Amino acid sequence: MGTQPETSAISGPGRRELANAVRALSMDAVQKANSGHPGMPMGMADLAEVLWNDYLRHNPGNPGWHDRDRFVVSNGHGSMLLYSLLHLSGYDLPVGELKQFRQLHSKTPGHPEYGYAPGVETTTGPLGQGIANAVGMALTERLLAARFNREGHEIVNHHTYVLLGDGCLMEGISHEACSLAGTLKLGKLIAVYDDNGISIDGEVAGWFRDDTPKRFDAYGWHVLADIDGHDPAAFASALDAAREVNDKPSLICAKTVIGWGAPNKQGKASVHGAALGEDEVARAREELGWLWPPFEVPDYIYQGWDARAAGAEREAEWQERFTRYRDANPELAAEYERRMAGRLPDDLAGHADAFIRDVDGKGESLATRKASQNALEGLGPALPELVGGSADLTGSNLTLWSGSRPISAEEPDGNYIYFGVREFAMSAIVNGMALHGGVIPYAGTFLMFSEYARNAVRMAALMGVQSIFVYTHDSIGLGEDGPTHQAVEQAATLRLIPRMSVWRPCDAVESAVAWRAAIERRAGPSCLLFSRQALPHQPRGAEQLAAIGRGGYVLRECEGTPQAILIATGSEVALAMAAAERLAGQGRAVRVVSMPSTDVFDAQDAAYRETVLPQGVRARVAVEAGVTDCWRKYVGLDGEVVGIDTFGESAPAEVVFEHFGFTPDNVVAAVERALAR
C-alpha cells in the first residue's frame, strides 16, 4: 500500500491524513447519493495530494487566472476526487454541495461539468476526451507563449496536468491525441496514468494487455514507469523528472490500488462504480484512522489543504510581472488581455461588413468550400486569434489561407495545425483550445466524417464552447465517391444537438455571413457545411443581405400574397429558385425562403418568423439533399419535402441529383401537390 507517514494533530497533518480527507469525502458523497464511483478517488488520493499541495499553480480565489496550471480529470467518473480537491483547497464549493453529489441542480454532478463548479476546466466522462482536451490546452499554452512572451518577460508559462485511467487508454481517441502530442513535443503536458488494473468488468488483463510505457515511448513521450502511486516521495520524484523535460510530454505510470482503504473491496471491480455500503464505509474509517463523522473535516486538515493565500500570492507575483511586461510591451499586453478576455477586435465588425458587401458585389459562382476559404482570407487578417486546421484534407476542405503559418515542434508560433487523420481527437483538441482561451479554433473534415468526431462535437455543445467545425462535401453533390462519403443524415442530426448552431449556405455571400456568425458566437460551437460543387450567386437587395444573419429570409418574393412557399438550404436554393421561376411562368405566386441556419431562424422573434413563413400560407415545400423528417416542422402535414431518405449512389454529381429527384420539374410537381391539398 506504499509508505504511511506518521500524523499528528499537534505538528499538523501528514500527507496520508491529508489524502484520507479526500478518501473520506469521496466515499461519504457516493454513499449519501447511493450512486457514483468511489474507487478512483480513493486510489488516486495520495498522488493527487502531492500534485495539488506541492506542484499545482492555481488560485482558489480566482479560478480564471490566466497563467494557472490546468488540471483535467480525464477519467471523469472519479469526479469526487476533483470535487474534494476543490472543496479542501478553498474554492467556492462548500461541503453542502458535496452532500448534494449527483443531485438535481447541484454543482457536483456525476461527472465533472464545465461551468458548474469553479475550478472544473472541462466536462469529462466520455473516456479519452479529457486527455485530448488537455492536449489542446497544452498546445494553446505553447502557441500563446510563442506569440506573447519576450526575453525577460514570461507571462505565459504553465503546465497542463491530466489524470487518466485504463478506460481512457483503451479508447481510440487516446491514440490519436497522444500521438499528435508527441509529434508536437508538448513538453508542458504531464499525464498521470492510474494503473490499477481494474475496470467495470473486472481485471483488465483479460482485454487490455498493452505495454503502455512502450506505446507512449513510441509516440515520443517521456515515460516514467512503475511509480508507486501511494508513495508520495516516489510520485514527487516522478513529477520533478517530468517537469525537467521540456521537449516531450510526460506520462507517469502510477501503480495504485483502486478503492485504497476499503478493506474488503479495495483492488476489486466492486469498488469501481457503486457505493461501498454503510458497513464498508465504517470499516474504511477504521482502516484509515479517520475518526470524524460523514462530511466532517477537522480544521487542522483544512488548514493543511488551504491554497488560498499561496494562490493569491502566486497570482500577485504574476500580476507584477505582467505590469512590467505591459510597461515594456504595451501593444502586446493590450492584445493579450483582449484575447484572454474573449473580446473580438474593435474593428472586426466594420471589416466583416465591408468584406460581405464586397463578396456580394463580386457576384461569383463558386463552391462554398472555396467561398469558405475566401472568408478566411477576408476575415483572417483582422482576427489574429483564429487558429485551425484539417484532418489530412487541407486541399479539399480549403481550410488553409495565405496568412496560415503551420505549427510544428520547431515552429510553435503558427496558426495552422496539420491534425492528420484524427477527426475525433482533432475535435476534442479544438474543444480544449477553446476552453483554454486566447484563441478561436476551427477544425475541418468532410461532413460524413463528423461521424468519427460526433461525441466531441456534442461535448462542445454541452460545454457551450466556441469550437468551429468546418464540414465540406456536404451532400450527394460529392458525386463519384459514393454513399460511404455522401452525407445524407448528418446535417439533420447536427441540427438536433442542443446549443449547436449549424449553417448550410447557398453561395459565397451566405458563406461569409456564416463564418462571421461563428466567429461572433461566443457561447457555443458552430458547424459550417460547405459544398464541393460550384453554386450560383444569388442576387439580393440590401434588406435581404442584412437578413441573412437571421438564419432564414425571403430570397425571392412574388407579386401579391404567396400561394406557396419554397424553403431550401445550400445547393438546393438554386433549384428552388429555378422551380419558382417556372411556377411564376404558370401564373403561380411562389416565395422562396433561403434558410441557411434553422437554429438561428428559430431563435428570431415570432413577428419576424411570421413575415418569412406566414401561417396563412399552408402550401409549403422544403428542398434539401438530406433526410426529410426535420423539415416537417416548417412545412406541416399538408406540405411536401423533396429530400433523401435512403443512402446515396456513386456517380457524377449531376447524375446523382437527377436520380434522386432534385430537378426543377420534381420541385414544381411537389408544389402543385401541396397546392392541391
Side-chain angles (χ1 to χ4, degrees), residues 527-660:
C527 293
L528 308 182
L529 282 47
F530 298 119
S531 72
R532 175 180 185 252
Q533 72 275 24
L535 305 182
H537 170 74
Q538 299 297 334
R540 299 172 182 83
E543 186 175 341
Q544 291 169 308
L545 188 65
I548 296 173
R550 305 189 78 166
Y553 63 103
V554 178
L555 179 61
R556 183 189 188 279
E557 190 57 287
C558 57
E559 292 187 12
T561 302
Q563 294 174 291
I565 299 175
L566 276 167
I567 310 166
T569 76
S571 48
E572 289 69 68
V573 168
L575 176 60
M577 293 288 279
E581 195 68 29
R582 289 195 186 186
L583 287 160
Q586 299 169 13
R588 297 292 196 183
V590 179
R591 170 185 290 182
V592 177
V593 170
S594 177
M595 194 174 291
S597 179
T598 58
D599 60 277
V600 174
F601 178 75
D602 290 347
Q604 303 302 308
D605 60 74
Y608 177 77
R609 297 197 308 272
E610 176 66 16
T611 65
V612 177
L613 298 176
Q615 295 182 33
V617 183
R618 300 187 65 188
R620 301 181 183 186
V621 177
V623 190
E624 184 173 63
V627 293
T628 61
D629 280 359
C630 290
W631 290 104
R632 292 292 170 188
K633 68 178 180 178
Y634 298 112
V635 303
L637 296 178
D638 295 327
E640 292 274 333
V641 182
V642 179
I644 307 175
D645 287 316
T646 183
F647 294 114
E649 294 284 350
S650 178
E654 62 276 12
V655 175
V656 179
F657 274 118
E658 184 172 2
H659 171 76
F660 283 105

Side-chain angles (χ1 to χ4, degrees), residues 30 33 35-37 75-81 83 100-103 106-113 116 124-125:
V30 173
S35 173
H37 300 75
N75 42 351
H77 54 271
S79 57
M80 269 311 304
L81 174 73
Y83 299 147
Q100 293 300 306
F101 178 55
R102 290 188 163 226
Q103 305 309 302
S106 76
K107 293 182 179 180
T108 51
H111 292 82
E113 293 192 37
Y116 280 59
T124 55

Side-chain angles (χ1 to χ4, degrees), residues 239-259:
L239 279 173
D240 288 337
R243 287 163 56 87
E244 289 175 3
V245 175
N246 295 316
D247 61 348
K248 294 180 179 182
S250 292
L251 177 72
I252 300 173
C253 300
K255 294 287 186 181
T256 65
V257 177
I258 190 171

Side-chain angles (χ1 to χ4, degrees), residues 133-146:
N133 294 162
V135 171
M137 293 174 186
L139 174 58
T140 305
E141 188 274 345
R142 199 176 68 170
L143 297 180
L144 294 176

Side-chain angles (χ1 to χ4, degrees), residues 65 100 162 190 226 299 320 346 366 377 380 410 412 471 508 512:
W65 170 34
Q100 293 300 306
V162 56
I190 298 176
D226 296 319
D299 287 343
E320 290 177 3
D346 292 339
L366 67 168
E377 289 283 357
E410 296 72 29
Y471 295 135

Side-chain angles (χ1 to χ4, degrees), residues 369-385:
R369 61 170 174 162
K370 178 60 179 176
S372 169
Q373 186 179 49
N374 291 348
L376 289 170
E377 289 283 357
L379 301 175
L383 200 67
E385 59 263 51

Side-chain angles (χ1 to χ4, degrees), residues 72 93 102 109 124 159 225 236 283 298 305 321 347 382 465 498 561 609:
V72 174
L93 192 68
R102 290 188 163 226
T124 55
H159 284 81
R283 290 173 182 170
W305 272 102
R321 282 190 284 118
D347 60 349
V465 296
T561 302
R609 297 197 308 272

